[in-house]
Amino acid sequence: MNTKSYFFQSFAIVALAFVAFIGFKQILPDKIFSDSKVDSKNVLIDSLLLESVAKDSLSLKSDSIEESERKLGQQKIVYDASEGIEFPSETFDNYKGYQYLISFYEKLYQLEQNPQRHVRIAYYGDSMTDGDLIVQDVRNNYQDRFGGNGVGFVSITSESAASRGSVRSTYSKNWKTQSYLNVKRPASPFGVNGHVFFANDQTNPTWVQYEAGLPKHTTTLDNPTLFYGRASKRGNVNFIIGKDTLKKSLSPNNLVNTLKVTSGSIKAFKANFIHADSIPIYGFNFDNGIGVHVDNFSQRGNSGLPISMFDASVMQAFDNNLKYDLIVLHYGTNVLNYGTKNYFWYEKGMTKTVNKIKESFPGVSILIVSTADKSTKYDLEMKTDSAVVPLMKAQKKYALETESGFVNLYTLMGGDGSMVKWVDETPAKANKDYTHFNQRGAKAIGNLLYSQLNNGYEQYKILRQKRETGVRPKAIRKPKADSVSVEKDSVNE
């Protein structure tokens, strides 16, 4: 047989194989093929997550995990009073942990009595909160009720800058960025946003520009203030506001330094950094100093584990300026689908993360928000991914273990099969990747989150009033022998 015949024979075999592949693809089961297209250029997965998955031990059998979870589900969680307040007991299945949000609720109560006070929330998340989705609606709800103007802390650069409506920002392309997502030993410590930026201004100007957003409470840039770190050399920055230019010096003497652009509210400004290439730059804060402010620290591809790399002393320096009362950890999207339903490794890693937060922000309340529902194709039908519930339970376990509040986003949005409904209904509330919410869905989720937090606050006010009037809440029966007893002496520990 000559070379030409071999060529045609080989081509025919390849063609038949391709046709067979297309045919068999339609009948092959369970998750072999993804139902959505992925833009690999924009996909980031943090290095700590990849390392944790690589080390994941599958020593526990799934049936033993299910049995232990079944026993845990009905166990009672009975709280000891904190500051004379004791929330009713819960089971693991319905755990919300309002007891551990008492210090946050007390700050809200004090703000409600005196509108000149200030409450601040840091909201850490992944692509679910990209572009200020969900967070902007939580922020809006709080500011509607308790007052406050301003979008909070904003990084120098961001993947979602172009799509964010609550603040508009543009920046030069020569910023050098280091992220806790993929750098373990940054040139200078990461900021509260998990990033550190350097103005690479040796050859070209390095600048960033901000403009106030359109949504209410964010229509001005209030008290714009630059945050930057320690360095051996000084630098300069020129702030251009309208037709005026304010020339100011950067004195990087402390772990965290601040420089106010101007007092009051402005609509926009541009910052040109000059001879500042050695100074770590973190970002700008915008708030009017009273009411509630919510910072969105979203990062695509984040599992939450990189927060464990924070420098506690640097975070305490940030906290001395910003004074956080609640820190929200909203993760899960990037933790699903790694070939296991045993998330003990993630429980362990996130417990370390929460403990780092407690060290970094002493006395702060912590709220864990679970994974939302996510759908995957099984036998040609979109259904709840089999890893969603195991991950949600793991998140609930480390919330309880670390004495954190908990929002079960999976059940809050409807539970099993809810993502399919959110995608298929008209108008849709989620995208065709069956993972992420659209603007409409994000607003609904933000409202649901706020509603649960506010429900806890309203209960807190009732318990507080009973404490002040000397009327004790109804006695709670003592737990049985297999109950989980949770103790905490004071919310101010």
Side-chain angles (χ1 to χ4, degrees):
M1 188 178 292
N2 58 32
T3 304
K4 190 173 183 179
S5 298
Y6 276 119
F7 171 79
F8 283 112
Q9 184 179 20
S10 300
F11 178 81
I13 292 172
V14 171
L16 287 171
F18 177 77
V19 172
F21 170 79
I22 295 298
F24 280 116
K25 180 182 177 181
Q26 304 304 314
I27 62 174
L28 286 171
D30 290 17
K31 301 177 63 173
I32 292 180
F33 303 101
S34 173
D35 191 61
S36 60
K37 295 180 179 179
V38 177
D39 182 0
S40 59
K41 182 178 67 173
N42 295 319
V43 173
L44 296 171
I45 299 294
D46 69 69
S47 57
L48 284 185
L49 173 62
L50 296 178
E51 289 179 9
S52 296
V53 171
K55 296 177 182 178
D56 181 20
S57 171
L58 301 179
S59 58
L60 289 177
K61 295 182 179 179
S62 60
D63 55 353
S64 64
I65 296 174
E66 292 174 2
E67 177 62 19
S68 63
E69 289 179 347
R70 186 187 66 78
K71 292 180 179 179
L72 181 62
Q74 297 304 315
Q75 289 181 335
K76 273 193 175 181
I77 303 163
V78 181
Y79 303 104
D80 282 352
S82 295
E83 300 297 315
I85 292 176
E86 179 184 343
F87 274 88
S89 62
E90 301 179 280
T91 65
F92 180 78
D93 284 344
N94 66 12
Y95 176 69
K96 294 182 177 66
Y98 292 146
Q99 184 78 20
Y100 302 126
L101 302 181
I102 282 179
S103 64
F104 169 61
Y105 287 151
E106 176 62 20
K107 294 293 180 60
L108 284 179
Y109 181 82
Q110 294 299 329
L111 173 60
E112 199 166 24
Q113 305 308 304
N114 180 2
Q116 296 304 305
R117 289 179 177 268
H118 179 240
V119 170
R120 194 175 199 98
I121 301 170
Y123 201 118
Y124 288 91
D126 51 29
S127 56
M128 280 292 189
T129 55
D130 197 43
D132 216 17
L133 290 177
I134 299 176
V135 182
Q136 63 189 358
D137 299 298
V138 172
R139 181 189 302 117
N140 186 63
N141 276 300
Y142 272 113
Q143 292 182 336
D144 275 350
R145 177 169 179 182
F146 296 94
N149 285 311
V151 74
F153 196 98
V154 182
S155 293
I156 297 296
T157 73
S158 169
E159 308 115 327
S160 62
S163 62
R164 184 170 182 175
S166 53
V167 64
R168 300 171 182 175
S169 64
T170 52
Y171 42 85
S172 58
K173 295 181 179 180
N174 55 334
W175 282 98
K176 179 182 177 182
T177 303
Q178 292 192 314
S179 166
Y180 64 170
L181 206 70
N182 44 38
V183 176
K184 286 187 176 181
R185 297 174 182 82
S188 291
F190 297 121
V192 69
N193 51 354
H195 292 76
V196 58
F197 305 91
F198 293 92
N200 189 16
D201 58 2
Q202 294 296 316
T203 55
N204 296 304
T206 304
W207 55 269
V208 61
Q209 181 171 303
Y210 297 96
E211 181 181 351
L214 296 177
K216 60 180 178 178
H217 306 305
T218 62
T219 56
T220 55
L221 301 176
D222 301 280
N223 299 317
T225 303
L226 172 67
F227 280 69
Y228 61 102
R230 176 179 287 168
S232 58
K233 296 181 181 179
R234 296 167 65 93
N236 299 289
V237 58
N238 293 341
F239 296 112
I240 302 172
I241 307 172
K243 295 181 180 180
D244 298 326
T245 299
L246 305 177
K247 297 183 178 182
K248 299 194 177 187
S249 298
L250 298 172
S251 302
N253 302 318
N254 303 313
L255 279 178
V256 175
N257 308 275
T258 61
L259 177 63
K260 183 170 286 190
V261 179
T262 184
S263 297
S265 301
I266 56 178
K267 287 288 186 179
F269 72 92
K270 184 177 183 178
N272 289 322
F273 290 83
I274 303 167
H275 305 306
D277 56 306
S278 65
I279 300 176
I281 307 295
Y282 295 121
F284 286 85
N285 178 57
F286 308 103
D287 73 61
N288 67 338
I290 59 174
V292 177
H293 296 97
V294 185
D295 301 334
N296 182 359
F297 298 134
S298 64
Q299 172 66 63
R300 298 174 190 174
N302 199 352
S303 67
L305 297 174
I307 293 175
S308 64
M309 296 190 298
F310 275 169
D311 184 312
S313 59
V314 173
M315 293 305 108
Q316 289 169 15
F318 269 99
D319 196 38
N320 288 337
N321 285 280
L322 298 171
K323 303 186 187 311
Y324 288 106
D325 302 297
L326 176 68
I327 291 183
V328 182
L329 301 179
H330 183 169
Y331 294 106
T333 308
N334 303 291
V335 188
L336 296 165
N337 300 329
Y338 280 94
T340 176
K341 298 182 183 65
N342 173 14
Y343 286 101
F344 176 74
W345 57 274
Y346 189 60
E347 289 177 48
K348 183 178 179 181
M350 286 304 289
T351 297
K352 181 179 178 181
T353 289
V354 175
N355 288 334
K356 173 63 73 171
I357 289 175
K358 290 183 176 182
E359 178 188 2
S360 301
F361 306 93
V364 71
S365 295
I366 300 171
L367 177 71
I368 308 300
V369 179
S370 84
T371 180
D373 188 32
K374 168 187 168 65
S375 296
T376 301
K377 184 175 285 186
Y378 294 95
D379 298 324
L380 305 183
E381 183 180 356
M382 298 302 295
K383 298 179 181 179
T384 289
D385 191 287
S386 60
V388 167
V389 172
L391 175 57
M392 176 272 290
K393 289 181 178 179
Q395 292 173 307
K396 191 186 297 188
K397 286 178 186 176
Y398 71 73
L400 178 59
E401 174 68 22
T402 59
E403 299 185 345
S404 304
F406 183 72
V407 173
N408 189 338
L409 190 54
Y410 167 70
T411 58
L412 203 61
M413 66 178 289
D416 186 60
S418 54
M419 182 57 77
V420 174
K421 295 177 183 177
W422 284 52
V423 171
D424 292 345
E425 66 185 14
T426 304
K429 292 191 291 188
N431 299 323
K432 286 291 186 180
D433 64 357
Y434 291 86
T435 301
H436 295 91
F437 303 105
N438 58 23
Q439 288 271 1
R440 187 178 296 103
K443 183 178 180 65
I445 292 297
N447 291 339
L448 287 170
L449 285 170
Y450 172 78
S451 294
Q452 178 171 321
L453 280 171
N454 189 59
N455 179 59
Y457 175 61
E458 295 300 334
Q459 290 184 45
Y460 170 75
K461 289 201 296 183
I462 293 172
L463 293 170
R464 193 183 192 282
Q465 184 179 20
K466 289 179 178 180
R467 182 194 67 183
E468 296 301 317
T469 58
V471 179
R472 296 181 60 82
K474 292 181 180 179
I476 300 173
R477 290 184 301 173
K478 292 293 183 181
K480 296 179 181 179
D482 62 348
S483 295
V484 178
S485 182
V486 183
E487 299 180 0
K488 190 173 184 180
D489 295 331
S490 170
V491 293
N492 295 318
E493 288 181 336

